[in-house]
Amino acid sequence: MTTFDRLLDVRKERGAGYFILLDPDKNKRDQLPSFIQEATEAGVDGFLVGGSLMSTDEFEQQLKTIKQNTSVPVLIFPGSIMQVSSIADAILFLVLISGRNPEHLIGSQVIAAPIIRRSGLEPISTGYMLIEAGNTTSAEFMSNTKPIPRDKADIAVAHALAAEIIGMKILYLDAGSGANASVPEEMLRAIASNCALPVIVGGGIRTPEEARRKVEAGASFVVTGTVTEHNNHHSFIKEFAEAVHSRAPRSRTN
Ligand code: 1GP
């Protein structure tokens, strides 16, 4: 079974999936194993590993540690082509479709594709959309692209449909790490009612209630990074996981 199929199973069985983003520059080596074990036990459905900037040389070592301490998928969420490793279960093969920077539309992908093919790493073709966050995020600055305005759901839908028609497998709507405002529910609802692709949403999600609202608006996977870096205890992560799973088929009334 591919990792992508495992993710679809999570969505089917739990209503939606909860991912934690780990930034290799911020992970504390001595605390990583226990954090991964606790988060897995608390109900996390996958770990994303990556960052817009990466200065550590321990990327692969950290991936090994994460893999050794969890049974859920470990996905690379690459900030650059330096972040490719077959230790992970899969890589989100990102195409920054909201931007018009050719480097992030095809340039990096052409460089990364042969490396990924040779490594055997599973690529998951991902239409990545940056959404205006109310502040300039690292993703926006580093990608040198303009995000989609928060009140332009129709523009977001058009991008989502283009990704679907091109044949991408999943969408990632990201307000960017540390966003002042997360992706609006109205935009998620518009995409969910017009486009069949599963949606990952992240950036600026700070409470379980906010995570739940994203799922209710149609997100299939919710990502937190900053908030779980600062509150990494078991009960907090469990609250997030339960909020994301609250629309599991067995608990649905509609
Ligand atoms: C960023 O979606 C992720 O790409 C997570 O964002 O750090 O704001 O939770 P936060």
Side-chain angles (χ1 to χ4, degrees), residues 114-159:
I115 302 170
I116 290 173
R117 180 52 55 89
R118 203 174 48 239
S119 73
L121 181 62
E122 176 186 333
I124 300 175
S125 172
T126 305
Y128 182 68
M129 293 157 70
L130 275 177
I131 311 299
E132 184 189 1
N135 56 324
T136 305
T137 60
S138 302
E140 178 185 343
F141 182 80
M142 294 301 292
S143 67
N144 197 17
T145 65
K146 247 191 204 174
I148 295 177
R150 328 181 30 80
D151 59 345
K152 302 287 186 202
D154 55 338
I155 294 182
V157 169
H159 282 75

mmCIF file of all heavy atoms in Angstrom, residues 114-159:
data_model
loop_
_atom_site.group_PDB
_atom_site.id
_atom_site.type_symbol
_atom_site.label_atom_id
_atom_site.label_comp_id
_atom_site.label_asym_id
_atom_site.label_seq_id
_atom_site.Cartn_x
_atom_site.Cartn_y
_atom_site.Cartn_z
ATOM 1 N N PRO A 114 14.802 13.369 -10.929
ATOM 2 C CA PRO A 114 15.665 12.192 -11.077
ATOM 3 C C PRO A 114 16.228 11.690 -9.747
ATOM 4 O O PRO A 114 16.404 10.479 -9.562
ATOM 5 C CB PRO A 114 16.815 12.693 -11.972
ATOM 6 C CG PRO A 114 16.412 14.027 -12.471
ATOM 7 C CD PRO A 114 15.312 14.546 -11.620
ATOM 8 N N ILE A 115 16.438 12.615 -8.817
ATOM 9 C CA ILE A 115 16.962 12.213 -7.500
ATOM 10 C C ILE A 115 15.902 11.390 -6.764
ATOM 11 O O ILE A 115 16.189 10.342 -6.184
ATOM 12 C CB ILE A 115 17.336 13.475 -6.665
ATOM 13 C CG1 ILE A 115 18.375 14.309 -7.410
ATOM 14 C CG2 ILE A 115 17.840 13.091 -5.279
ATOM 15 C CD1 ILE A 115 18.641 15.681 -6.812
ATOM 16 N N ILE A 116 14.658 11.850 -6.869
ATOM 17 C CA ILE A 116 13.571 11.139 -6.191
ATOM 18 C C ILE A 116 13.360 9.766 -6.827
ATOM 19 O O ILE A 116 13.233 8.749 -6.150
ATOM 20 C CB ILE A 116 12.274 11.987 -6.236
ATOM 21 C CG1 ILE A 116 12.450 13.209 -5.319
ATOM 22 C CG2 ILE A 116 11.057 11.173 -5.839
ATOM 23 C CD1 ILE A 116 11.327 14.212 -5.398
ATOM 24 N N ARG A 117 13.374 9.726 -8.151
ATOM 25 C CA ARG A 117 13.174 8.445 -8.837
ATOM 26 C C ARG A 117 14.257 7.440 -8.454
ATOM 27 O O ARG A 117 13.990 6.277 -8.160
ATOM 28 C CB ARG A 117 13.146 8.683 -10.359
ATOM 29 C CG ARG A 117 12.952 7.454 -11.221
ATOM 30 C CD ARG A 117 11.747 6.607 -10.840
ATOM 31 N NE ARG A 117 10.475 7.310 -10.791
ATOM 32 C CZ ARG A 117 9.646 7.462 -11.826
ATOM 33 N NH1 ARG A 117 9.946 6.934 -12.969
ATOM 34 N NH2 ARG A 117 8.504 8.094 -11.689
ATOM 35 N N ARG A 118 15.506 7.914 -8.416
ATOM 36 C CA ARG A 118 16.617 7.015 -8.083
ATOM 37 C C ARG A 118 16.517 6.525 -6.639
ATOM 38 O O ARG A 118 16.860 5.394 -6.326
ATOM 39 C CB ARG A 118 17.944 7.759 -8.306
ATOM 40 C CG ARG A 118 19.130 6.842 -8.527
ATOM 41 C CD ARG A 118 20.399 7.574 -8.896
ATOM 42 N NE ARG A 118 20.690 8.693 -8.031
ATOM 43 C CZ ARG A 118 20.830 9.962 -8.434
ATOM 44 N NH1 ARG A 118 20.706 10.264 -9.711
ATOM 45 N NH2 ARG A 118 21.117 10.917 -7.582
ATOM 46 N N SER A 119 16.010 7.387 -5.766
ATOM 47 C CA SER A 119 15.984 7.031 -4.345
ATOM 48 C C SER A 119 14.848 6.070 -3.992
ATOM 49 O O SER A 119 14.866 5.441 -2.944
ATOM 50 C CB SER A 119 15.824 8.295 -3.491
ATOM 51 O OG SER A 119 14.497 8.777 -3.603
ATOM 52 N N GLY A 120 13.842 5.994 -4.857
ATOM 53 C CA GLY A 120 12.703 5.124 -4.555
ATOM 54 C C GLY A 120 11.680 5.784 -3.646
ATOM 55 O O GLY A 120 10.675 5.178 -3.284
ATOM 56 N N LEU A 121 11.930 7.025 -3.266
ATOM 57 C CA LEU A 121 11.005 7.750 -2.398
ATOM 58 C C LEU A 121 9.680 8.005 -3.133
ATOM 59 O O LEU A 121 9.688 8.373 -4.304
ATOM 60 C CB LEU A 121 11.667 9.085 -2.021
ATOM 61 C CG LEU A 121 10.945 10.056 -1.102
ATOM 62 C CD1 LEU A 121 10.690 9.441 0.275
ATOM 63 C CD2 LEU A 121 11.787 11.332 -0.945
ATOM 64 N N GLU A 122 8.569 7.804 -2.425
ATOM 65 C CA GLU A 122 7.252 8.012 -3.064
ATOM 66 C C GLU A 122 6.923 9.505 -3.160
ATOM 67 O O GLU A 122 6.815 10.176 -2.140
ATOM 68 C CB GLU A 122 6.174 7.301 -2.226
ATOM 69 C CG GLU A 122 4.760 7.534 -2.760
ATOM 70 C CD GLU A 122 3.690 6.954 -1.835
ATOM 71 O OE1 GLU A 122 3.971 5.990 -1.095
ATOM 72 O OE2 GLU A 122 2.569 7.492 -1.856
ATOM 73 N N PRO A 123 6.741 10.016 -4.386
ATOM 74 C CA PRO A 123 6.327 11.423 -4.501
ATOM 75 C C PRO A 123 4.806 11.542 -4.509
ATOM 76 O O PRO A 123 4.119 10.746 -5.134
ATOM 77 C CB PRO A 123 6.903 11.834 -5.868
ATOM 78 C CG PRO A 123 7.005 10.558 -6.643
ATOM 79 C CD PRO A 123 6.978 9.394 -5.699
ATOM 80 N N ILE A 124 4.285 12.523 -3.795
ATOM 81 C CA ILE A 124 2.847 12.799 -3.824
ATOM 82 C C ILE A 124 2.677 14.175 -4.458
ATOM 83 O O ILE A 124 3.036 15.197 -3.874
ATOM 84 C CB ILE A 124 2.250 12.773 -2.396
ATOM 85 C CG1 ILE A 124 2.470 11.392 -1.751
ATOM 86 C CG2 ILE A 124 0.761 13.129 -2.439
ATOM 87 C CD1 ILE A 124 2.019 11.286 -0.294
ATOM 88 N N SER A 125 2.171 14.171 -5.674
ATOM 89 C CA SER A 125 2.062 15.414 -6.443
ATOM 90 C C SER A 125 1.076 16.372 -5.759
ATOM 91 O O SER A 125 -0.109 16.067 -5.607
ATOM 92 C CB SER A 125 1.583 15.051 -7.858
ATOM 93 O OG SER A 125 1.308 16.225 -8.549
ATOM 94 N N THR A 126 1.592 17.521 -5.342
ATOM 95 C CA THR A 126 0.829 18.423 -4.464
ATOM 96 C C THR A 126 0.722 19.830 -5.055
ATOM 97 O O THR A 126 1.737 20.478 -5.311
ATOM 98 C CB THR A 126 1.537 18.522 -3.083
ATOM 99 O OG1 THR A 126 1.711 17.208 -2.545
ATOM 100 C CG2 THR A 126 0.742 19.382 -2.101
ATOM 101 N N GLY A 127 -0.502 20.285 -5.260
ATOM 102 C CA GLY A 127 -0.716 21.673 -5.679
ATOM 103 C C GLY A 127 -0.670 22.550 -4.435
ATOM 104 O O GLY A 127 -1.579 22.506 -3.602
ATOM 105 N N TYR A 128 0.420 23.297 -4.305
ATOM 106 C CA TYR A 128 0.654 24.071 -3.080
ATOM 107 C C TYR A 128 0.222 25.518 -3.303
ATOM 108 O O TYR A 128 0.663 26.162 -4.258
ATOM 109 C CB TYR A 128 2.144 23.983 -2.735
ATOM 110 C CG TYR A 128 2.561 24.698 -1.468
ATOM 111 C CD1 TYR A 128 2.150 24.243 -0.224
ATOM 112 C CD2 TYR A 128 3.384 25.817 -1.515
ATOM 113 C CE1 TYR A 128 2.539 24.889 0.943
ATOM 114 C CE2 TYR A 128 3.780 26.466 -0.358
ATOM 115 C CZ TYR A 128 3.352 25.990 0.870
ATOM 116 O OH TYR A 128 3.741 26.644 2.018
ATOM 117 N N MET A 129 -0.669 26.004 -2.445
ATOM 118 C CA MET A 129 -1.194 27.361 -2.608
ATOM 119 C C MET A 129 -0.933 28.167 -1.352
ATOM 120 O O MET A 129 -1.341 27.761 -0.256
ATOM 121 C CB MET A 129 -2.712 27.293 -2.864
ATOM 122 C CG MET A 129 -3.048 26.659 -4.196
ATOM 123 S SD MET A 129 -4.713 25.959 -4.265
ATOM 124 C CE MET A 129 -5.683 27.432 -4.250
ATOM 125 N N LEU A 130 -0.257 29.298 -1.536
ATOM 126 C CA LEU A 130 -0.055 30.203 -0.408
ATOM 127 C C LEU A 130 -1.233 31.160 -0.359
ATOM 128 O O LEU A 130 -1.629 31.722 -1.386
ATOM 129 C CB LEU A 130 1.236 31.000 -0.592
ATOM 130 C CG LEU A 130 2.525 30.322 -0.119
ATOM 131 C CD1 LEU A 130 3.720 31.210 -0.444
ATOM 132 C CD2 LEU A 130 2.479 30.024 1.377
ATOM 133 N N ILE A 131 -1.774 31.326 0.842
ATOM 134 C CA ILE A 131 -2.939 32.202 1.028
ATOM 135 C C ILE A 131 -2.509 33.357 1.936
ATOM 136 O O ILE A 131 -1.815 33.142 2.943
ATOM 137 C CB ILE A 131 -4.114 31.415 1.675
ATOM 138 C CG1 ILE A 131 -4.362 30.073 0.937
ATOM 139 C CG2 ILE A 131 -5.366 32.287 1.733
ATOM 140 C CD1 ILE A 131 -4.729 30.170 -0.520
ATOM 141 N N GLU A 132 -2.955 34.555 1.561
ATOM 142 C CA GLU A 132 -2.606 35.763 2.321
ATOM 143 C C GLU A 132 -2.863 35.561 3.815
ATOM 144 O O GLU A 132 -3.934 35.101 4.215
ATOM 145 C CB GLU A 132 -3.486 36.913 1.805
ATOM 146 C CG GLU A 132 -3.189 38.236 2.405
ATOM 147 C CD GLU A 132 -4.260 39.265 1.991
ATOM 148 O OE1 GLU A 132 -5.217 38.920 1.273
ATOM 149 O OE2 GLU A 132 -4.110 40.409 2.412
ATOM 150 N N ALA A 133 -1.857 35.951 4.615
ATOM 151 C CA ALA A 133 -1.882 35.607 6.040
ATOM 152 C C ALA A 133 -2.032 36.809 6.963
ATOM 153 O O ALA A 133 -2.136 36.647 8.173
ATOM 154 C CB ALA A 133 -0.581 34.887 6.390
ATOM 155 N N GLY A 134 -2.001 38.020 6.402
ATOM 156 C CA GLY A 134 -2.042 39.208 7.255
ATOM 157 C C GLY A 134 -0.654 39.637 7.709
ATOM 158 O O GLY A 134 -0.494 40.668 8.350
ATOM 159 N N ASN A 135 0.348 38.825 7.430
ATOM 160 C CA ASN A 135 1.743 39.200 7.678
ATOM 161 C C ASN A 135 2.597 38.512 6.604
ATOM 162 O O ASN A 135 2.113 37.615 5.912
ATOM 163 C CB ASN A 135 2.199 38.771 9.084
ATOM 164 C CG ASN A 135 2.033 37.287 9.350
ATOM 165 O OD1 ASN A 135 1.080 36.664 8.895
ATOM 166 N ND2 ASN A 135 2.957 36.710 10.070
ATOM 167 N N THR A 136 3.837 38.954 6.463
ATOM 168 C CA THR A 136 4.701 38.306 5.463
ATOM 169 C C THR A 136 5.336 37.077 6.094
ATOM 170 O O THR A 136 6.109 37.183 7.047
ATOM 171 C CB THR A 136 5.805 39.271 4.986
ATOM 172 O OG1 THR A 136 5.179 40.458 4.524
ATOM 173 C CG2 THR A 136 6.629 38.664 3.864
ATOM 174 N N THR A 137 4.983 35.901 5.591
ATOM 175 C CA THR A 137 5.522 34.668 6.163
ATOM 176 C C THR A 137 6.832 34.303 5.457
ATOM 177 O O THR A 137 7.131 34.812 4.370
ATOM 178 C CB THR A 137 4.518 33.509 5.993
ATOM 179 O OG1 THR A 137 4.294 33.339 4.587
ATOM 180 C CG2 THR A 137 3.210 33.813 6.694
ATOM 181 N N SER A 138 7.583 33.406 6.093
ATOM 182 C CA SER A 138 8.847 32.954 5.477
ATOM 183 C C SER A 138 8.583 32.324 4.114
ATOM 184 O O SER A 138 9.338 32.532 3.163
ATOM 185 C CB SER A 138 9.537 31.907 6.348
ATOM 186 O OG SER A 138 9.785 32.428 7.611
ATOM 187 N N ALA A 139 7.488 31.550 4.022
ATOM 188 C CA ALA A 139 7.182 30.868 2.749
ATOM 189 C C ALA A 139 6.969 31.893 1.645
ATOM 190 O O ALA A 139 7.456 31.731 0.522
ATOM 191 C CB ALA A 139 5.962 29.972 2.914
ATOM 192 N N GLU A 140 6.241 32.959 1.974
ATOM 193 C CA GLU A 140 5.994 33.995 0.963
ATOM 194 C C GLU A 140 7.300 34.680 0.576
ATOM 195 O O GLU A 140 7.624 34.825 -0.612
ATOM 196 C CB GLU A 140 4.995 35.026 1.517
ATOM 197 C CG GLU A 140 4.737 36.156 0.539
ATOM 198 C CD GLU A 140 3.848 37.264 1.119
ATOM 199 O OE1 GLU A 140 3.169 37.050 2.134
ATOM 200 O OE2 GLU A 140 3.852 38.362 0.519
ATOM 201 N N PHE A 141 8.056 35.061 1.572
ATOM 202 C CA PHE A 141 9.289 35.800 1.278
ATOM 203 C C PHE A 141 10.288 34.922 0.518
ATOM 204 O O PHE A 141 10.825 35.329 -0.522
ATOM 205 C CB PHE A 141 9.918 36.322 2.580
ATOM 206 C CG PHE A 141 11.164 37.120 2.331
ATOM 207 C CD1 PHE A 141 11.069 38.456 1.935
ATOM 208 C CD2 PHE A 141 12.415 36.541 2.429
ATOM 209 C CE1 PHE A 141 12.211 39.195 1.669
ATOM 210 C CE2 PHE A 141 13.558 37.265 2.163
ATOM 211 C CZ PHE A 141 13.460 38.594 1.781
ATOM 212 N N MET A 142 10.498 33.713 1.014
ATOM 213 C CA MET A 142 11.511 32.843 0.416
ATOM 214 C C MET A 142 11.123 32.374 -0.985
ATOM 215 O O MET A 142 11.987 32.144 -1.826
ATOM 216 C CB MET A 142 11.778 31.623 1.312
ATOM 217 C CG MET A 142 12.402 31.947 2.645
ATOM 218 S SD MET A 142 13.979 32.803 2.526
ATOM 219 C CE MET A 142 15.003 31.524 1.828
ATOM 220 N N SER A 143 9.829 32.242 -1.253
ATOM 221 C CA SER A 143 9.406 31.768 -2.580
ATOM 222 C C SER A 143 9.310 32.902 -3.587
ATOM 223 O O SER A 143 9.161 32.659 -4.784
ATOM 224 C CB SER A 143 8.060 31.049 -2.484
ATOM 225 O OG SER A 143 7.030 31.968 -2.134
ATOM 226 N N ASN A 144 9.372 34.134 -3.080
ATOM 227 C CA ASN A 144 9.278 35.289 -3.961
ATOM 228 C C ASN A 144 8.010 35.223 -4.814
ATOM 229 O O ASN A 144 8.051 35.375 -6.040
ATOM 230 C CB ASN A 144 10.538 35.352 -4.849
ATOM 231 C CG ASN A 144 10.719 36.711 -5.475
ATOM 232 O OD1 ASN A 144 10.117 37.684 -5.039
ATOM 233 N ND2 ASN A 144 11.526 36.779 -6.524
ATOM 234 N N THR A 145 6.914 34.909 -4.147
ATOM 235 C CA THR A 145 5.617 34.856 -4.838
ATOM 236 C C THR A 145 4.581 35.619 -4.017
ATOM 237 O O THR A 145 4.778 35.853 -2.826
ATOM 238 C CB THR A 145 5.100 33.409 -5.030
ATOM 239 O OG1 THR A 145 4.832 32.829 -3.741
ATOM 240 C CG2 THR A 145 6.082 32.552 -5.797
ATOM 241 N N LYS A 146 3.499 35.958 -4.691
ATOM 242 C CA LYS A 146 2.391 36.651 -4.039
ATOM 243 C C LYS A 146 1.356 35.611 -3.623
ATOM 244 O O LYS A 146 0.964 34.780 -4.458
ATOM 245 C CB LYS A 146 1.721 37.548 -5.088
ATOM 246 C CG LYS A 146 1.863 39.009 -4.827
ATOM 247 C CD LYS A 146 0.936 39.734 -5.787
ATOM 248 C CE LYS A 146 1.461 41.124 -5.967
ATOM 249 N NZ LYS A 146 0.745 41.860 -6.972
ATOM 250 N N PRO A 147 0.876 35.664 -2.387
ATOM 251 C CA PRO A 147 -0.175 34.708 -2.015
ATOM 252 C C PRO A 147 -1.527 35.102 -2.618
ATOM 253 O O PRO A 147 -1.712 36.250 -3.035
ATOM 254 C CB PRO A 147 -0.215 34.819 -0.481
ATOM 255 C CG PRO A 147 0.403 36.114 -0.147
ATOM 256 C CD PRO A 147 1.292 36.535 -1.288
ATOM 257 N N ILE A 148 -2.451 34.163 -2.620
ATOM 258 C CA ILE A 148 -3.815 34.450 -3.084
ATOM 259 C C ILE A 148 -4.527 35.299 -2.015
ATOM 260 O O ILE A 148 -4.470 34.951 -0.827
ATOM 261 C CB ILE A 148 -4.584 33.135 -3.334
ATOM 262 C CG1 ILE A 148 -3.924 32.370 -4.496
ATOM 263 C CG2 ILE A 148 -6.067 33.401 -3.624
ATOM 264 C CD1 ILE A 148 -4.544 31.031 -4.802
ATOM 265 N N PRO A 149 -5.174 36.407 -2.409
ATOM 266 C CA PRO A 149 -5.875 37.225 -1.407
ATOM 267 C C PRO A 149 -6.909 36.409 -0.644
ATOM 268 O O PRO A 149 -7.601 35.568 -1.231
ATOM 269 C CB PRO A 149 -6.544 38.315 -2.262
ATOM 270 C CG PRO A 149 -5.766 38.349 -3.539
ATOM 271 C CD PRO A 149 -5.285 36.954 -3.774
ATOM 272 N N ARG A 150 -7.028 36.667 0.660
ATOM 273 C CA ARG A 150 -7.902 35.859 1.523
ATOM 274 C C ARG A 150 -9.372 35.927 1.111
ATOM 275 O O ARG A 150 -10.126 35.003 1.363
ATOM 276 C CB ARG A 150 -7.890 36.310 2.988
ATOM 277 C CG ARG A 150 -6.703 36.862 3.540
ATOM 278 C CD ARG A 150 -6.781 37.249 5.006
ATOM 279 N NE ARG A 150 -7.684 36.487 5.835
ATOM 280 C CZ ARG A 150 -7.417 35.300 6.337
ATOM 281 N NH1 ARG A 150 -6.246 34.727 6.119
ATOM 282 N NH2 ARG A 150 -8.298 34.679 7.083
ATOM 283 N N ASP A 151 -9.775 37.050 0.505
ATOM 284 C CA ASP A 151 -11.197 37.190 0.172
ATOM 285 C C ASP A 151 -11.502 36.772 -1.272
ATOM 286 O O ASP A 151 -12.572 37.052 -1.792
ATOM 287 C CB ASP A 151 -11.652 38.642 0.415
ATOM 288 C CG ASP A 151 -10.855 39.635 -0.433
ATOM 289 O OD1 ASP A 151 -9.788 39.248 -0.963
ATOM 290 O OD2 ASP A 151 -11.299 40.792 -0.572
ATOM 291 N N LYS A 152 -10.554 36.109 -1.910
ATOM 292 C CA LYS A 152 -10.771 35.722 -3.319
ATOM 293 C C LYS A 152 -10.920 34.197 -3.432
ATOM 294 O O LYS A 152 -10.070 33.499 -4.007
ATOM 295 C CB LYS A 152 -9.605 36.177 -4.211
ATOM 296 C CG LYS A 152 -9.346 37.678 -4.169
ATOM 297 C CD LYS A 152 -10.424 38.459 -4.906
ATOM 298 C CE LYS A 152 -10.062 39.931 -4.964
ATOM 299 N NZ LYS A 152 -11.205 40.806 -5.167
ATOM 300 N N ALA A 153 -12.005 33.689 -2.873
ATOM 301 C CA ALA A 153 -12.248 32.247 -2.919
ATOM 302 C C ALA A 153 -12.346 31.750 -4.360
ATOM 303 O O ALA A 153 -11.930 30.638 -4.686
ATOM 304 C CB ALA A 153 -13.514 31.905 -2.142
ATOM 305 N N ASP A 154 -12.889 32.591 -5.241
ATOM 306 C CA ASP A 154 -13.058 32.158 -6.640
ATOM 307 C C ASP A 154 -11.694 31.927 -7.308
ATOM 308 O O ASP A 154 -11.522 30.989 -8.100
ATOM 309 C CB ASP A 154 -13.896 33.175 -7.427
ATOM 310 C CG ASP A 154 -13.336 34.591 -7.365
ATOM 311 O OD1 ASP A 154 -12.570 34.906 -6.421
ATOM 312 O OD2 ASP A 154 -13.652 35.394 -8.265
ATOM 313 N N ILE A 155 -10.717 32.748 -6.964
ATOM 314 C CA ILE A 155 -9.364 32.558 -7.543
ATOM 315 C C ILE A 155 -8.751 31.265 -6.989
ATOM 316 O O ILE A 155 -8.138 30.488 -7.736
ATOM 317 C CB ILE A 155 -8.465 33.783 -7.228
ATOM 318 C CG1 ILE A 155 -9.011 35.022 -7.948
ATOM 319 C CG2 ILE A 155 -7.012 33.511 -7.621
ATOM 320 C CD1 ILE A 155 -8.174 36.274 -7.758
ATOM 321 N N ALA A 156 -8.977 31.021 -5.699
ATOM 322 C CA ALA A 156 -8.458 29.778 -5.107
ATOM 323 C C ALA A 156 -9.096 28.561 -5.776
ATOM 324 O O ALA A 156 -8.418 27.580 -6.093
ATOM 325 C CB ALA A 156 -8.711 29.777 -3.607
ATOM 326 N N VAL A 157 -10.399 28.635 -6.018
ATOM 327 C CA VAL A 157 -11.101 27.509 -6.668
ATOM 328 C C VAL A 157 -10.527 27.265 -8.063
ATOM 329 O O VAL A 157 -10.288 26.121 -8.468
ATOM 330 C CB VAL A 157 -12.631 27.777 -6.747
ATOM 331 C CG1 VAL A 157 -13.312 26.764 -7.655
ATOM 332 C CG2 VAL A 157 -13.250 27.741 -5.355
ATOM 333 N N ALA A 158 -10.271 28.330 -8.802
ATOM 334 C CA ALA A 158 -9.739 28.168 -10.163
ATOM 335 C C ALA A 158 -8.367 27.473 -10.125
ATOM 336 O O ALA A 158 -8.076 26.599 -10.957
ATOM 337 C CB ALA A 158 -9.635 29.536 -10.844
ATOM 338 N N HIS A 159 -7.540 27.832 -9.145
ATOM 339 C CA HIS A 159 -6.241 27.163 -9.000
ATOM 340 C C HIS A 159 -6.432 25.687 -8.635
ATOM 341 O O HIS A 159 -5.737 24.813 -9.152
ATOM 342 C CB HIS A 159 -5.404 27.856 -7.922
ATOM 343 C CG HIS A 159 -4.759 29.130 -8.377
ATOM 344 N ND1 HIS A 159 -5.448 30.310 -8.546
ATOM 345 C CD2 HIS A 159 -3.469 29.410 -8.715
ATOM 346 C CE1 HIS A 159 -4.629 31.258 -8.954
ATOM 347 N NE2 HIS A 159 -3.411 30.733 -9.072
#
